[in-house]
Amino acid sequence: EFGREYSCPVCASTMCSSNLVPGTIVGTSTGLDNGALWATHYIVDDIACVKPFPNMHVYSPSSIESINKIFDAQVKNKKEIRLTDYKERKKKIRKIVHWITNNREVIQDTLYRDFKKPKTEVDMAEIYITLDHAKHTLKNLKFWMKPEGVLSSFPALFSKSYIEYYPKGVSLIISPWNYPFQLTVSPLISAIAAGNCAILKPSEITPNTSGLINRMVRDLFSNNEVAVVEGKQEVKACLISIKNAL
Protein backbone atom coordinates (compact mmCIF):
# COMPACT_ATOMS: atom_id res chain seq x y z
CA GLU A 1 0.00 0.00 0.00
CA PHE A 2 2.88 2.34 0.78
CA GLY A 3 5.35 0.95 -1.76
CA ARG A 4 7.09 -1.53 0.51
CA GLU A 5 6.36 -4.96 1.93
CA TYR A 6 5.72 -5.45 5.64
CA SER A 7 6.02 -8.82 7.33
CA CYS A 8 3.88 -10.09 10.14
CA PRO A 9 5.61 -9.34 13.50
CA VAL A 10 4.45 -12.67 14.92
CA CYS A 11 5.51 -15.18 12.27
CA ALA A 12 7.75 -13.01 10.01
CA SER A 13 5.69 -14.00 6.98
CA THR A 14 4.24 -11.49 4.54
CA MET A 15 1.09 -13.59 4.11
CA CYS A 16 -0.31 -16.28 6.41
CA SER A 17 -3.69 -17.91 6.82
CA SER A 18 -6.14 -17.71 9.69
CA ASN A 19 -9.41 -19.30 10.71
CA LEU A 20 -10.73 -16.00 12.01
CA VAL A 21 -13.66 -14.23 10.39
CA PRO A 22 -12.53 -12.29 7.28
CA GLY A 23 -12.00 -8.63 8.07
CA THR A 24 -11.13 -9.20 11.73
CA ILE A 25 -8.20 -7.07 12.90
CA VAL A 26 -5.68 -9.20 14.79
CA GLY A 27 -2.88 -6.67 15.12
CA THR A 28 -1.34 -3.45 13.95
CA SER A 29 2.12 -2.07 13.45
CA THR A 30 3.21 1.54 13.04
CA GLY A 31 6.41 3.51 12.74
CA LEU A 32 8.31 6.16 10.84
CA ASP A 33 9.64 5.65 7.34
CA ASN A 34 11.73 8.55 5.98
CA GLY A 35 9.83 10.90 8.27
CA ALA A 36 6.38 9.75 7.16
CA LEU A 37 4.05 7.83 9.42
CA TRP A 38 3.04 4.41 8.15
CA ALA A 39 0.62 1.93 9.61
CA THR A 40 0.03 -1.67 8.59
CA HIS A 41 -2.99 -3.56 9.87
CA TYR A 42 -2.75 -7.32 10.04
CA ILE A 43 -6.20 -8.33 8.85
CA VAL A 44 -7.56 -11.75 7.95
CA ASP A 45 -7.28 -12.41 4.18
CA ASP A 46 -4.93 -9.42 3.83
CA ILE A 47 -1.83 -9.50 6.05
CA ALA A 48 -2.74 -11.69 8.99
CA CYS A 49 -1.34 -14.23 11.38
CA VAL A 50 -3.05 -17.21 12.98
CA LYS A 51 -0.99 -16.62 16.17
CA PRO A 52 -2.29 -13.69 18.22
CA PHE A 53 -0.01 -11.24 19.98
CA PRO A 54 0.21 -11.73 23.76
CA ASN A 55 -3.07 -10.53 25.36
CA MET A 56 -4.21 -9.18 21.99
CA HIS A 57 -7.77 -7.97 21.63
CA VAL A 58 -9.36 -9.78 18.69
CA TYR A 59 -12.74 -8.38 17.82
CA SER A 60 -15.41 -8.42 15.17
CA PRO A 61 -17.42 -5.31 14.27
CA SER A 62 -20.55 -4.52 16.25
CA SER A 63 -23.70 -5.48 14.39
CA ILE A 64 -26.24 -2.90 13.30
CA GLU A 65 -28.83 -4.71 15.40
CA SER A 66 -26.68 -4.49 18.56
CA ILE A 67 -25.98 -0.77 17.96
CA ASN A 68 -29.69 -0.01 17.61
CA LYS A 69 -30.41 -2.03 20.76
CA ILE A 70 -27.80 -0.06 22.75
CA PHE A 71 -29.11 3.26 21.45
CA ASP A 72 -32.74 2.41 22.28
CA ALA A 73 -31.72 1.36 25.82
CA GLN A 74 -29.85 4.63 26.37
CA VAL A 75 -32.73 6.74 25.05
CA LYS A 76 -35.02 5.03 27.55
CA ASN A 77 -32.51 5.59 30.36
CA LYS A 78 -31.51 9.19 29.57
CA LYS A 79 -34.25 10.77 31.70
CA GLU A 80 -32.99 8.98 34.80
CA ILE A 81 -29.35 9.92 34.05
CA ARG A 82 -30.38 13.51 33.32
CA LEU A 83 -31.77 13.87 36.85
CA THR A 84 -28.55 12.82 38.61
CA ASP A 85 -27.01 15.48 40.86
CA TYR A 86 -23.38 16.57 40.93
CA LYS A 87 -22.53 14.08 43.70
CA GLU A 88 -23.67 11.10 41.60
CA ARG A 89 -21.81 12.35 38.52
CA LYS A 90 -18.62 12.97 40.47
CA LYS A 91 -18.84 9.44 41.87
CA LYS A 92 -18.89 8.03 38.32
CA ILE A 93 -15.93 10.17 37.25
CA ARG A 94 -13.95 9.05 40.32
CA LYS A 95 -14.56 5.43 39.30
CA ILE A 96 -12.89 6.17 35.95
CA VAL A 97 -9.97 7.90 37.72
CA HIS A 98 -9.46 4.90 40.03
CA TRP A 99 -9.63 2.47 37.10
CA ILE A 100 -7.01 4.41 35.14
CA THR A 101 -4.72 4.70 38.18
CA ASN A 102 -4.99 0.98 38.96
CA ASN A 103 -4.40 -0.02 35.32
CA ARG A 104 -1.62 2.39 34.35
CA GLU A 105 0.82 -0.34 33.28
CA VAL A 106 -1.90 -2.15 31.31
CA ILE A 107 -2.65 1.08 29.42
CA GLN A 108 1.07 1.55 28.68
CA ASP A 109 1.46 -2.01 27.39
CA THR A 110 -1.70 -1.81 25.31
CA LEU A 111 -0.66 1.36 23.49
CA TYR A 112 2.79 -0.12 22.89
CA ARG A 113 1.19 -3.16 21.24
CA ASP A 114 -0.90 -0.94 18.99
CA PHE A 115 1.88 1.32 17.70
CA LYS A 116 4.91 1.11 19.96
CA LYS A 117 4.12 4.32 21.80
CA PRO A 118 6.76 4.85 24.54
CA LYS A 119 5.64 4.61 28.16
CA THR A 120 6.68 8.20 28.86
CA GLU A 121 4.49 9.48 26.02
CA VAL A 122 1.59 7.33 27.19
CA ASP A 123 1.91 8.80 30.68
CA MET A 124 2.17 12.40 29.50
CA ALA A 125 -0.19 12.48 26.50
CA GLU A 126 -2.74 9.79 27.36
CA ILE A 127 -2.95 9.16 31.11
CA TYR A 128 -1.96 12.41 32.86
CA ILE A 129 -3.97 14.64 30.50
CA THR A 130 -7.04 12.48 31.08
CA LEU A 131 -6.56 12.51 34.85
CA ASP A 132 -5.97 16.27 34.83
CA HIS A 133 -9.21 16.78 32.89
CA ALA A 134 -11.04 14.60 35.42
CA LYS A 135 -9.53 16.56 38.32
CA HIS A 136 -10.59 19.87 36.76
CA THR A 137 -14.10 18.53 36.18
CA LEU A 138 -14.44 17.21 39.73
CA LYS A 139 -13.30 20.56 41.13
CA ASN A 140 -15.74 22.67 39.11
CA LEU A 141 -18.77 20.45 38.44
CA LYS A 142 -20.90 21.72 41.32
CA PHE A 143 -20.35 25.31 40.17
CA TRP A 144 -21.03 24.45 36.51
CA MET A 145 -24.36 22.87 37.41
CA LYS A 146 -25.66 25.89 39.34
CA PRO A 147 -28.27 27.98 37.55
CA GLU A 148 -26.75 31.23 36.28
CA GLY A 149 -28.73 34.29 37.35
CA VAL A 150 -29.41 36.89 34.64
CA LEU A 151 -31.27 40.19 34.46
CA SER A 152 -34.96 39.87 33.74
CA SER A 153 -36.42 41.52 30.66
CA PHE A 154 -38.82 44.44 31.11
CA PRO A 155 -42.09 42.38 30.83
CA ALA A 156 -40.75 40.08 33.59
CA LEU A 157 -39.08 42.83 35.60
CA PHE A 158 -40.27 41.61 39.01
CA SER A 159 -39.43 37.95 38.44
CA LYS A 160 -36.18 36.03 38.79
CA SER A 161 -34.52 34.82 35.59
CA TYR A 162 -31.73 32.31 35.20
CA ILE A 163 -30.00 30.04 32.69
CA GLU A 164 -29.85 26.33 33.49
CA TYR A 165 -27.82 23.97 31.31
CA TYR A 166 -29.67 20.86 30.24
CA PRO A 167 -28.20 17.48 29.20
CA LYS A 168 -28.66 16.50 25.55
CA GLY A 169 -29.42 12.90 26.50
CA VAL A 170 -27.15 10.55 24.48
CA SER A 171 -23.65 11.56 23.36
CA LEU A 172 -21.80 9.96 20.44
CA ILE A 173 -17.99 9.98 20.80
CA ILE A 174 -15.99 8.91 17.73
CA SER A 175 -12.29 9.13 18.52
CA PRO A 176 -9.18 9.19 16.27
CA TRP A 177 -6.23 6.80 16.37
CA ASN A 178 -3.30 9.06 17.31
CA TYR A 179 -4.19 9.50 21.01
CA PRO A 180 -6.83 6.78 21.23
CA PHE A 181 -7.18 6.52 25.00
CA GLN A 182 -7.17 10.20 25.96
CA LEU A 183 -9.37 11.32 23.07
CA THR A 184 -11.99 8.73 24.00
CA VAL A 185 -12.00 8.87 27.79
CA SER A 186 -11.69 12.66 28.24
CA PRO A 187 -14.84 13.35 26.19
CA LEU A 188 -16.56 10.56 28.12
CA ILE A 189 -15.77 12.37 31.39
CA SER A 190 -17.34 15.54 29.97
CA ALA A 191 -20.43 13.64 28.80
CA ILE A 192 -20.90 12.11 32.26
CA ALA A 193 -20.37 15.50 33.94
CA ALA A 194 -23.10 16.97 31.72
CA GLY A 195 -25.54 14.20 32.70
CA ASN A 196 -25.57 12.25 29.44
CA CYS A 197 -25.47 8.63 28.39
CA ALA A 198 -22.69 7.90 25.88
CA ILE A 199 -21.83 5.60 22.98
CA LEU A 200 -18.09 5.35 22.28
CA LYS A 201 -16.57 4.40 18.92
CA PRO A 202 -12.76 4.10 19.33
CA SER A 203 -10.58 3.91 16.24
CA GLU A 204 -10.34 0.54 14.49
CA ILE A 205 -6.69 1.37 13.74
CA THR A 206 -5.83 0.78 17.41
CA PRO A 207 -7.71 -2.45 18.18
CA ASN A 208 -5.96 -3.23 21.46
CA THR A 209 -6.74 0.20 22.93
CA SER A 210 -10.29 -0.13 21.67
CA GLY A 211 -10.57 -3.44 23.51
CA LEU A 212 -9.10 -1.95 26.68
CA ILE A 213 -11.61 0.93 26.65
CA ASN A 214 -14.37 -1.62 26.08
CA ARG A 215 -13.16 -3.55 29.12
CA MET A 216 -13.04 -0.39 31.26
CA VAL A 217 -16.57 0.60 30.29
CA ARG A 218 -17.90 -2.90 30.96
CA ASP A 219 -16.23 -2.87 34.38
CA LEU A 220 -17.75 0.47 35.37
CA PHE A 221 -21.05 0.99 33.55
CA SER A 222 -24.10 -0.78 32.20
CA ASN A 223 -24.84 -0.67 28.45
CA ASN A 224 -27.85 1.56 28.96
CA GLU A 225 -25.55 4.32 30.30
CA VAL A 226 -22.17 3.94 28.57
CA ALA A 227 -21.32 1.47 25.80
CA VAL A 228 -18.50 0.82 23.33
CA VAL A 229 -19.07 -0.24 19.72
CA GLU A 230 -16.30 -1.37 17.41
CA GLY A 231 -15.91 -1.55 13.65
CA LYS A 232 -15.05 0.36 10.50
CA GLN A 233 -16.82 2.78 8.17
CA GLU A 234 -20.12 0.90 8.12
CA VAL A 235 -20.35 1.15 11.92
CA LYS A 236 -19.53 4.88 11.83
CA ALA A 237 -22.14 5.39 9.13
CA CYS A 238 -24.75 3.59 11.25
CA LEU A 239 -23.93 5.70 14.31
CA ILE A 240 -24.05 8.97 12.37
CA SER A 241 -27.34 8.01 10.71
CA ILE A 242 -28.85 7.39 14.16
CA LYS A 243 -27.54 10.76 15.36
CA ASN A 244 -28.97 12.56 12.34
CA ALA A 245 -32.33 10.90 12.86
CA LEU A 246 -32.75 12.48 16.30
Side-chain angles (χ1 to χ4, degrees), residues 21-236:
V21 177
T24 301
I25 298 176
V26 296
T28 184
S29 175
T30 63
L32 289 172
D33 183 12
N34 296 325
L37 180 68
W38 55 261
T40 301
H41 315 295
Y42 301 94
I43 306 173
V44 178
D45 291 338
D46 184 4
I47 302 178
C49 185
V50 69
K51 303 174 185 177
F53 294 112
N55 301 317
M56 172 152 297
H57 172 63
V58 180
Y59 73 88
S60 57
S62 302
S63 68
I64 305 302
E65 181 182 358
S66 67
I67 293 171
N68 287 326
K69 186 176 180 180
I70 289 169
F71 178 73
D72 290 342
Q74 292 196 0
V75 168
K76 290 179 182 178
N77 192 41
K78 69 179 182 180
K79 292 182 180 178
E80 182 177 341
I81 301 301
R82 180 179 284 155
L83 294 174
T84 54
D85 61 17
Y86 77 92
K87 292 180 181 179
E88 293 175 274
R89 298 178 193 182
K90 287 173 73 171
K91 184 178 179 180
K92 296 172 187 177
I93 295 170
R94 287 194 183 100
K95 288 198 301 182
I96 295 176
V97 169
H98 293 154
W99 194 96
I100 293 172
T101 303
N102 293 335
N103 290 276
R104 178 188 168 208
E105 291 185 1
V106 176
I107 297 168
Q108 291 173 338
D109 293 341
T110 300
L111 282 154
Y112 184 82
R113 288 204 306 274
D114 271 334
F115 48 10
K116 293 183 169 54
K117 183 172 283 194
K119 291 183 178 180
T120 304
E121 184 180 357
V122 173
D123 281 342
M124 297 298 294
E126 303 274 4
I127 295 175
Y128 294 157
I129 288 180
T130 304
L131 293 177
D132 187 63
H133 176 64
K135 181 180 178 182
H136 178 71
T137 303
L138 291 169
K139 181 180 178 181
N140 294 283
L141 183 55
K142 182 179 179 180
F143 171 75
W144 292 340
M145 290 181 65
K146 282 185 176 180
E148 179 185 344
V150 294
L151 292 174
S152 298
S153 61
F154 183 76
L157 189 60
F158 299 104
S159 64
K160 290 184 178 180
S161 300
Y162 59 91
I163 298 172
E164 184 174 356
Y165 295 99
Y166 196 70
K168 286 284 190 180
V170 179
S171 298
L172 170 60
I173 300 169
I174 300 178
S175 55
W177 64 269
N178 52 344
Y179 294 98
F181 189 83
Q182 183 246 126
L183 292 178
T184 305
V185 181
S186 287
L188 172 61
I189 290 169
S190 296
I192 291 170
N196 293 302
C197 300
I199 296 176
L200 313 180
K201 167 58 181 74
S203 174
E204 69 276 13
I205 298 177
T206 51
N208 294 294
T209 305
S210 179
L212 182 66
I213 293 169
N214 198 345
R215 175 186 144 195
M216 181 192 76
V217 167
R218 288 177 180 273
D219 286 348
L220 302 179
F221 301 97
S222 58
N223 257 359
N224 67 351
E225 184 173 359
V226 181
V228 175
V229 299
E230 298 178 290
K232 295 184 179 181
Q233 293 298 329
E234 62 277 6
V235 171
K236 293 178 186 176

